[in-house]
Amino acid sequence: MFADRGSTAGETTSQERRERAQPDHRVLGHVVQCDGARAVIAAQADYEDGSVTGLWTVGKMVSINLDTTRTVGLVYAISKSDRQWATESRNSIEVSIELIGEVRDDTAEGKPVFDRGITNYPYIGAIAHRIRARDLAAVYDLAGRRAVTIGQLSQDESIAACIAIDDTLNRHFAVLGTTGVGKSTAVALLLRKAIEARPDLRVLILDPHNEFAPSLPEFAMRIDTGSLDLPFWLFRLEEFTEVLFRGRETVPEEIDLLRDLIPQAKHGFRNLGGSPYLRRGGGDAITADTPVPYRMADLLRLIDERMGMLETKNDRPIYRALKNRIEAAISDPRYRFMFHSRLIEDTIHETIGKIFRVPHQGRPITCFEMAGLPSEVVNSVCSVLARLAFDLALWSEGRLRLLVLCEEAHRYMPADPRLGFAPTRHAMSRIAKEGRKYGCYLGVVSQRPGELDPTILSQCSTVFAMRLANEQDQAIIRSAIADSSASTLSFLSSMGQREAIAFGEGVATTMRLKFEKMQGHLLPGAAKKLVGSDEAGETGDIDLAAVVERLRNVPRAPVLPTVGEPVNPIRQAGDSEYRRPAPPPRPDDDLDFGYGLRPSTFGLRPQRD
């Protein structure tokens, strides 16, 4: 960055005095061409002694001195007209800059103020010089908004990169970048800063790779397939049928049957001992989407009763197929989180409180780990969680602030409407369009913005664009950024690790930054790398039995006592000496089949010698 740190303090001076007293070492060139958005500066690439200045590089900022303001520009191209380097004379170059805004001195506050718009355009011959540190700080000043520091400017590491955390959250944000550039680390850093600035915020992370919980140990609670308790009766009809049909095409007749029988099962559970008939209409009418508990046994019983009716004999194959689907889902150990409870009761308060951390008890982040979840049920579960998040924020009247963070968001919200799951896309889209009015925010993380639903991405008012090599993905970012900062995106394919271009409502102006470096043990996925590389690499041993056991995902059958096994009458079941060892057989006895009789003597009189 062309920052002159020798003039960072002192009173404001007039532009005329600065121009007359301008040191020669700060003068870089003069404006020779200008239009509404860009300008060209004529400068020298070397000193009079022939040494190269090294002052002109792409990505630097300069300021153009005018009468009452200083125009700020970003260098995006440097060229030499004849494309040859002269050793006998000085080398003239043309520097192309993009006009970002202007800085003016505020006489009331005694400090420079930056405006994105430009009122006075540079004239031919205007002096271009190094930008002062005070002017540079004014360019990225947030004008009193609550700010958090997330790193440093890539051009000048002595200046902190700050974002307006309230605007970043309230109007949704996106972190985009190719694989391996540090998206997960940047997200973990942003979450830490958000929780420190907003202690009332609750965060739900949809984590498909099980990597965020170790990076947020003091803030996060982990929910995986073993600890997840999401009863089947919380699912809407579309979500429940997605589980039953496992991503395949549904059968309309079976869907109609479920739409008719599920309300009856719910009515029967709510009115035990009452009328078995469901009243149609009315204020307390129950539908298949109403989150009211019911028993699967009642639903299967209703299907059997329908099959037994004479008028449904032609539809019995449909009833039988639906019953088989339900029984297969109930017996599948991968769906244990839905059907494991044998005692059906209204536990919606406990379920919602555990998932959305109400109360949070010092841990406001929930990491929902989906690596062990069946792929055909991921869409349904994400749809349920996103829908519950919006409904909670809506009916809490803004008292509950929720952030739903979607890692690998293109999996749930693809650009192709024929792909994905429609209820999931609708639930996420509802948060993106209406969530900020009720305190429900959306964070989108994706490595393929070209495959992401453009409606969702357009609702993200703050974007952190990291390195992107795909031309289609870069075009998506170009369509979202302001025209006055379009040249900044030319760095997208060549940015380093932890670098990003931030633009939108959460920053003062388009900013190229470098995220703070986090400790090694707090990096997402660091625990897996340590276990996978160090321990396994040294020993070379792999517990194959444990791997296969997790692969099967089937609980071990309990060891039951065999029929006729002797037990200790004094001990209780579970004690170490509960089972008594069977007495060894006497060698002189014949075979005993458990009845105390000898086959050789049964029914015969004893013979005397």
Side-chain angles (χ1 to χ4, degrees):
M1 181 63 64
F2 298 151
D4 185 6
R5 303 201 168 276
S7 304
T8 57
E11 63 180 5
T12 305
T13 58
S14 65
Q15 297 297 314
E16 290 77 7
R17 179 182 171 187
R18 287 187 67 228
E19 186 176 357
R20 288 194 297 268
Q22 190 82 307
D24 293 338
H25 72 277
R26 291 191 67 238
V27 176
L28 301 178
H30 296 79
V31 176
V32 295
Q33 190 269 334
C34 179
D35 58 19
R38 293 174 174 84
V40 177
I41 298 174
Q44 301 294 329
D46 51 358
Y47 294 111
E48 294 181 356
D49 59 358
S51 60
V52 180
T53 62
L55 297 177
W56 293 107
T57 56
V58 173
K60 301 294 186 180
M61 276 190 180
V62 297
S63 63
I64 301 174
N65 189 19
L66 303 179
D67 293 336
T68 57
T69 59
R70 298 179 292 281
T71 303
V72 180
L74 176 69
V75 178
Y76 69 89
I78 305 173
S79 63
K80 196 172 183 293
S81 59
D82 56 358
R83 302 296 177 93
Q84 293 182 358
W85 184 262
T87 57
E88 298 82 8
S89 60
R90 300 187 70 179
N91 291 271
S92 300
I93 58 176
E94 295 180 352
V95 182
S96 300
I97 65 172
E98 189 172 57
L99 304 180
I100 297 177
E102 62 184 16
V103 177
R104 53 181 173 82
D105 291 324
D106 190 344
T107 57
E109 299 184 6
K111 65 178 184 178
V113 178
F114 174 76
D115 293 325
R116 289 190 181 184
I118 297 178
T119 57
N120 298 324
Y121 283 90
Y123 51 84
I124 300 298
I127 297 176
H129 56 80
R130 302 179 185 182
I131 188 170
R132 295 192 174 199
R134 296 176 70 233
D135 291 353
L136 183 61
V139 171
Y140 299 106
D141 183 60
L142 294 173
R145 293 183 291 176
R146 180 161 53 174
V148 296
T149 302
I150 60 174
Q152 304 81 31
L153 296 183
S154 297
Q155 300 94 334
D156 191 342
E157 295 186 356
S158 63
I159 298 180
C162 300
I163 61 171
I165 190 63
D166 292 331
D167 292 337
T168 302
L169 293 175
N170 295 350
R171 301 188 180 185
H172 317 308
F173 67 92
V175 180
L176 310 174
T178 189
T179 304
V181 298
K183 293 191 306 297
S184 299
T185 305
V187 170
L189 176 65
L190 290 173
L191 291 179
R192 283 182 171 275
K193 299 295 183 179
I195 294 298
E196 292 173 0
R198 299 274 299 270
D200 61 330
L201 183 68
R202 268 83 168 179
V203 182
L204 172 64
I205 305 177
L206 302 181
D207 186 5
H209 304 301
N210 300 359
E211 59 182 359
F212 281 102
S215 65
L216 301 163
E218 69 273 26
F219 297 118
M221 288 291 294
R222 176 183 301 176
I223 295 180
D224 54 12
T225 55
S227 58
L228 177 63
D229 182 14
L230 200 62
F232 60 89
W233 49 266
L234 277 178
F235 288 60
R236 285 186 172 179
L237 181 60
E238 285 182 304
E239 300 160 350
F240 185 62
T241 54
E242 179 74 6
V243 174
L244 293 182
F245 287 88
R246 310 192 181 195
R248 296 188 295 269
E249 186 177 356
T250 59
V251 179
E253 292 80 6
E254 296 184 24
I255 304 301
D256 294 338
L257 184 59
L258 286 174
R259 186 178 290 106
D260 188 26
L261 295 183
I262 289 179
Q264 296 186 29
K266 292 180 178 181
H267 176 76
F269 181 83
R270 291 191 68 186
N271 299 274
L272 294 177
S275 174
Y277 301 103
L278 177 64
R279 185 177 61 179
R280 300 293 181 181
D284 58 346
I286 298 177
T287 66
D289 296 335
T290 307
V292 173
Y294 66 97
R295 289 185 291 258
M296 273 295 158
D298 294 340
L299 181 60
L300 294 174
R301 177 180 55 80
L302 291 172
I303 294 176
D304 289 335
E305 291 178 357
R306 287 287 187 93
M307 281 195 298
M309 294 181 179
L310 183 61
E311 60 270 18
T312 61
K313 62 180 180 179
N314 295 330
D315 298 331
R316 285 174 185 172
I318 299 175
Y319 288 84
R320 191 175 295 109
L322 177 60
K323 182 179 179 181
N324 292 337
R325 293 184 199 277
I326 296 176
E327 291 176 345
I330 294 174
S331 59
D332 194 331
R334 299 177 300 172
Y335 299 145
R336 196 179 304 118
F337 68 94
M338 294 176 59
F339 304 103
H340 77 282
S341 179
R342 299 299 180 186
L343 179 62
I344 303 298
E345 55 183 352
D346 193 353
T347 58
I348 189 171
H349 304 84
E350 292 81 358
T351 300
I352 291 178
K354 180 179 179 182
I355 294 177
F356 296 101
R357 308 302 303 152
V358 182
H360 60 74
Q361 298 175 350
R363 293 178 178 265
I365 300 178
T366 301
C367 293
F368 179 49
E369 299 181 343
M370 301 184 295
L373 204 63
S375 58
E376 59 267 18
V377 81
V378 167
N379 285 328
S380 295
V381 173
C382 292
S383 175
V384 173
L385 296 180
R387 176 171 51 82
L388 288 177
F390 182 87
D391 291 341
L392 281 178
L394 172 63
W395 296 112
S396 66
E397 297 179 352
R399 290 190 295 270
L400 185 62
R401 304 287 178 171
L402 288 172
L403 169 64
V404 179
L405 183 69
C406 300
E407 172 77 14
E408 303 289 349
H410 55 273
R411 297 173 54 180
Y412 323 118
M413 300 168 282
D416 190 349
R418 297 171 297 179
L419 302 177
F421 187 44
T424 305
R425 183 187 293 106
H426 175 72
M428 296 295 182
S429 178
R430 192 181 183 192
I431 294 177
K433 294 177 180 178
E434 308 175 26
R436 65 183 182 88
K437 301 177 182 178
Y438 308 106
C440 187
Y441 316 130
L442 182 65
V444 174
V445 184
S446 177
Q447 60 185 3
R448 291 303 309 273
E451 297 180 0
L452 189 64
D453 187 358
T455 303
I456 302 294
L457 191 58
S458 64
Q459 297 294 328
C460 297
S461 298
T462 304
V463 177
F464 300 90
M466 308 183 78
R467 185 169 68 241
L468 287 168
N470 187 277
E471 186 64 29
Q472 180 184 2
D473 297 336
Q474 294 181 13
I476 297 295
I477 304 300
R478 291 192 188 98
S479 64
I481 198 170
D483 293 338
S484 60
S485 304
S487 64
T488 311
L489 298 181
S490 59
F491 310 112
L492 272 179
S493 60
S494 59
M495 288 192 300
Q497 293 293 111
R498 305 190 349 253
E499 275 195 313
I501 296 175
F503 60 91
E505 298 293 335
V507 294
T509 186
T510 302
M511 174 173 56
R512 183 178 177 184
L513 61 95
K514 194 167 188 178
F515 287 106
E516 292 181 3
K517 188 174 182 180
M518 298 181 63
Q519 301 179 15
H521 68 281
L522 295 178
L523 297 178
K528 297 180 182 179
K529 295 178 182 178
L530 292 175
V531 174
S533 59
D534 297 340
E535 297 182 2
E538 293 177 359
T539 62
D541 296 333
I542 299 177
D543 190 356
L544 187 58
V547 173
V548 173
E549 193 69 25
R550 296 181 64 185
L551 174 66
R552 288 174 173 169
N553 196 21
V554 179
R556 290 181 176 272
V559 179
L560 301 176
T562 58
V563 178
E565 182 180 354
V567 297
N568 192 330
I570 301 178
R571 302 287 181 177
Q572 295 182 358
D575 294 342
S576 58
E577 300 179 0
Y578 175 66
R579 299 186 182 90
R580 293 183 301 180
R586 289 178 295 180
D588 57 340
D589 288 348
D590 295 334
L591 295 177
D592 192 342
F593 292 97
Y595 297 98
L597 302 175
R598 298 179 184 177
S600 59
T601 60
F602 179 68
L604 299 178
R605 294 181 180 180
Q607 298 181 358
R608 298 180 180 177
D609 295 338

